[in-house]
Amino acid sequence: MKTPVPDYLQHVLAACDQNHKGALADYIPELAQADPNKLALALSTVDGTIYSTGDDEVEFTIQSMSKPFAYALAIRHHGLDVVLKKVGVEPSGEAFNQIALDKNTNLPKNPMINSGAITTHALLPHQDGISRAEKLRQFLSELAGRELSFDDAVYASEVKTAFRNMSIGYMLRTVGALDEEPEQIVHGYIQQCAIKVTVKDLAKMTSVLANGGVQAETGKRILSRAVVRQVLSVMMTCGMYDAAGDWLSTVGIPAKSGVAGGIMGVLPGQVGIAVFSPKLDEHGNSVRGVEIFERLSKDMGLHLMEGTPSAQTIVQRRYTCGVDNQVVVYELRGVLQFTESEMLLRILQNEAVEPTQIVLDLTNISLIHDVGERMLFEGVDRLIADGHDVVVIDSEQILQQGRSHAGHDVVRHEELEQYLQHFA
Ligand code: GLN
């Protein structure tokens, strides 16, 4: 059998192909040369599978879709508190290149509009000989799993006409948001926007965000959960500029657009999506890109506000074994967050208060949230206090604290048999 997902994606592209509305971004002369007919779509799952269709090998500049990643890198480098002292998190409701600051704080409103992104660029790590834009290029290359490069022509073209961004730079310098010469920072920001990507690269990059900061292919944690949460929150409220409210209600996927015609979206725990089509609407968002996202969200039920599944049954099976059936095994399945943990603890509460051997098997748990882990071990402590002997099986090593759970027996599956022999 061949999975129908690629056919479905092709079908969505074909349906949007006839939409010729919008205009190329002409304030950057080089972008006005783009082929307006290009159209591509890629979708990634959290396990790293990529589906793509259309002009999925065509490179275009990342533009403002670099902003969430620069924000992530700045937070990873300085910590959130430092970054929040320089850039706010309030939607501006204004155009992306508005020359304005927050009236109360005198800071850029958020990192998705240009004033906030230029300030964020200045917070990127750099060292002698390696510029901030180069650091970001390296970071994006790691996320994309291939070496990305700069589009020098787009960079040069935007630098020549960067009057507005330069005004923003001088405004930021005036209020102390920038400590360095604005020209260098604005040029660096423009170079960050000129990194070339395909929709497949973007899909890989977004899959790391969808997967809570872990790159599925390498198993490497690239960003902490807290950083990813911050980035996605800001994308949700500010990523689509003055169309953010409309986007949230119709599409409901944290997203970011770029003036070269890309839009990327991240549905936490589910998918990353990237589209490319150069003609833009009045907000600077790709016209066909928006239409594709609207269709995908509707057809696949991807709206964040409806996507959260209600708690699943967490105990897949409870059985007893050992000579006198004195060992009770709970096979758990699914995701262990607050709701599921509460459900599990309620079930465990029914265990009679008499010494038994209880085994909690996490082998089929696909994800355990911090709160799930804490609640699980709180339950274990209480079972022990009731006189039970408890062992937790963590074959897939999903427990964040692993075997370091003081005083608790956490074993692998292969060790379980050996363990159970004590009771045979
Ligand atoms: N480089 C572009 C600019 O600063 C990025 C804007 C965008 O993609 N919305 O104008």
Side-chain angles (χ1 to χ4, degrees), residues 27-28 62-65 67 96-97 114 158 165 189-190 193 241 256-260 284:
Y27 75 101
I28 301 174
I62 189 166
Q63 297 297 340
S64 286
M65 291 178 292
K67 293 171 180 174
F96 69 88
N97 54 7
N114 288 10
E158 186 171 353
N165 281 332
Y189 157 76
I190 291 172
C193 291
Y241 310 123
K256 187 73 208 80
S257 60
V259 282

Side-chain angles (χ1 to χ4, degrees), residues 71-83:
Y71 189 51
L73 195 53
I75 301 173
R76 192 174 82 173
H77 188 64
H78 293 283
L80 181 59
D81 291 348
V82 171
V83 175

Side-chain angles (χ1 to χ4, degrees), residues 41-203:
L41 166 59
L43 183 144
S44 57
T45 59
V46 287
D47 65 6
T49 306
I50 307 271
Y51 299 100
S52 66
T53 181
D55 300 306
D56 56 0
E57 299 284 341
V58 171
E59 290 191 318
F60 52 96
T61 49
I62 189 166
Q63 297 297 340
S64 286
M65 291 178 292
S66 63
K67 293 171 180 174
F69 297 109
Y71 189 51
L73 195 53
I75 301 173
R76 192 174 82 173
H77 188 64
H78 293 283
L80 181 59
D81 291 348
V82 171
V83 175
L84 287 177
K85 287 203 176 85
K86 294 276 189 185
V87 187
V89 288
E90 290 303 330
S92 71
E94 286 166 349
F96 69 88
N97 54 7
Q98 188 71 17
I99 308 178
L101 295 167
D102 186 288
K103 286 189 187 62
N104 301 319
T105 62
N106 231 12
L107 294 175
K109 283 232 177 208
N110 68 66
M112 301 293 118
I113 51 173
N114 288 10
S115 56
I118 292 169
T119 310
T120 305
H121 179 81
L123 294 171
L124 290 178
H126 61 109
Q127 61 206 66
D128 278 351
I130 306 183
S131 67
R132 297 169 168 102
E134 171 58 17
K135 281 277 184 196
L136 188 72
R137 188 201 64 79
Q138 291 171 0
F139 178 56
L140 295 184
S141 300
E142 182 183 12
L143 290 170
R146 76 172 183 111
E147 232 17 72
L148 303 175
S149 56
F150 293 108
D151 188 323
D152 298 331
V154 170
Y155 167 72
S157 166
E158 186 171 353
V159 160
K160 258 195 219 156
T161 54
F163 312 115
R164 221 184 150 88
N165 281 332
M166 284 306 296
S167 322
I168 294 175
Y170 281 102
M171 170 186 72
L172 294 168
R173 183 79 173 103
T174 311
V175 297
L178 289 185
D179 309 323
E180 290 172 43
E181 280 319 297
E183 190 170 302
Q184 193 190 342
I185 300 297
V186 170
H187 286 187
Y189 157 76
I190 291 172
Q191 199 182 10
Q192 134 182 354
C193 291
I195 295 169
K196 286 188 282 186
V197 288
T198 66
V199 284
K200 286 199 263 189
D201 296 326
L202 287 170

Side-chain angles (χ1 to χ4, degrees), residues 233-298:
S233 306
V234 174
M235 279 168 67
M236 185 85 254
T237 50
C238 314
M240 300 304 276
Y241 310 123
D242 40 340
D246 196 15
W247 179 268
L248 175 53
S249 54
T250 54
V251 178
I253 299 175
K256 187 73 208 80
S257 60
V259 282
I263 305 180
M264 62 175 201
V266 178
L267 195 61
Q270 298 200 46
V271 291
I273 299 171
V275 299
F276 167 55
S277 176
K279 283 182 155 186
L280 310 178
D281 63 17
E282 66 278 21
H283 308 288
N285 301 328
S286 165
V287 172
R288 292 197 284 194
V290 171
E291 189 183 339
I292 293 170
F293 264 93
E294 282 175 356
R295 278 177 189 266
L296 292 177
S297 171
K298 195 158 161 253

